[in-house]
Amino acid sequence: MSFSVLGTGMYVPPKVVTNDDLSQIVDTNDEWVMQRVGVHERHISERETAADMGYQAALAALENSGIKAEELDLILAASVSGESISPSVSCEIQNHLGVSCMTMDINAACSAFDFMLETAAGFFARKKVKKVLVVGAERLSRLLDWTDRSTCVIFGDGAGAVVLGEGDGYIDAVFNVKGGNDVIDIPQPVGSSPFYKREQEKKPCIHMKGQETFKFAVNAICKDSLRVLERNGLTLDDVSYIVPHQANKRIIDFACTKLKVPKDKFYVNIDRFGNTSSASIPIALAEMNRKGMLKKGDLLLLPAFGGGLASAACLLRW
Ligand code: UT7
């Protein structure tokens, strides 16, 4: 027993920040950000926490699937930007929904949505659950160094969610983890223990070596995608849409050229939302669903990559 997607939902905060707005804060301009990253604008939270946005996306996904919150057996959530370490974001969403099912957060940065789907698949396989809510929710604006033009122009806030029910839509996934903090690092504050000795405290914000991340990402999209297709006897021709983590439009363009697939096979919305980490794939799915792009039987390939370093690619039949 596996699962199928019953419904999708998304939420982004109302405030839109354009590249022109950012050029008032750091030394940047629309032309550079569009050319190097492909982001024109992003939504930035003024009030909502990651969990608040996750809750709104969850409500939308529940409505879209026709499932009541009380029917949920499990809530999985991912966020690198939740307000508290405890309660977890999934606990907060559960509390907002007023239900009592099991909840669990998965920490796999930008690849977390794929890690959550695989985790959900395990629960379905063991027949422990019938309905599962999966949410990626991020207030990355909380973690940005707003004086660092090489990172603050890339990211955005938002949440995406899917509701899963018993079915045979989820086919397979591959995962690739190369642990280490030298390429992407989001440290927590060191704390004030009088006993803990650390030479230098790194600012608790997103630190990223852009070009190394870029190379890792292009390689990961291509390798993971081909591996998961090959081991299921499928090819890129069988895939209706590739819905990648939206990290940088140029990463997607490079992967597109390397994989030799037509551009319109890749769904791209980074121009309007920026990189929303764990929320980017479920936001893309919710948009595609809302636009009526997804037909029953469509094969979707979901490559994701980012902090960890970690990457993954899932195959999902709609
Ligand atoms: O989801 C997590 C995964 N993250 C990613 O996938 C990010 C992957 N990496 C990237 O997207 C790109 O490497 C960046 C967008 C971060 C940077 O683009 P780049 O083409 O690698 O630029 P660069 O770091 O080599 O910088 C080129 C120049 C530098 O100036 P100089 O030294 O050549 O004079 C930077 O200072 O561009 C400058 N620069 C900027 N200029 C205007 C860096 N950021 C900006 C900016 N506006 N915002």
Side-chain angles (χ1 to χ4, degrees), residues 27-29 32-33 36-37 110 149-150 153-155 184 208 210-211 213-214 217 245 247-248 250-251 275 305-307:
D27 181 13
T28 192
N29 56 75
W32 191 95
V33 185
R36 301 290 185 113
V37 198
C110 301
R149 66 178 181 172
S150 70
V153 301
I154 298 176
F155 297 94
I184 301 177
M208 183 175 69
Q211 293 192 358
T213 309
F214 196 99
H245 165 48
N248 181 322
R250 274 199 307 142
I251 291 176
N275 176 342
F305 45 87

Side-chain angles (χ1 to χ4, degrees), residues 192-264:
S192 56
S193 162
F195 306 104
Y196 188 73
K197 296 182 181 66
R198 193 188 257 194
E199 296 296 306
Q200 203 181 9
E201 182 161 357
K202 219 172 164 185
K203 246 181 168 179
C205 60
I206 299 177
H207 301 265
M208 183 175 69
K209 289 185 185 154
Q211 293 192 358
E212 284 178 48
T213 309
F214 196 99
K215 281 180 210 148
F216 167 75
V218 174
N219 197 30
I221 293 193
C222 299
K223 256 179 135 167
D224 294 344
S225 297
L226 294 176
R227 193 150 71 92
V228 74
L229 285 166
E230 191 189 345
R231 84 175 194 191
N232 289 280
L234 295 160
T235 70
L236 284 162
D237 290 339
D238 298 308
V239 175
S240 314
Y241 290 106
I242 304 173
V243 189
H245 165 48
Q246 311 279 318
N248 181 322
K249 173 71 166 48
R250 274 199 307 142
I251 291 176
I252 297 173
D253 290 343
F254 265 72
C256 186
T257 308
K258 267 185 104 171
L259 290 172
K260 299 190 183 73
V261 295
K263 275 202 161 152
D264 56 3

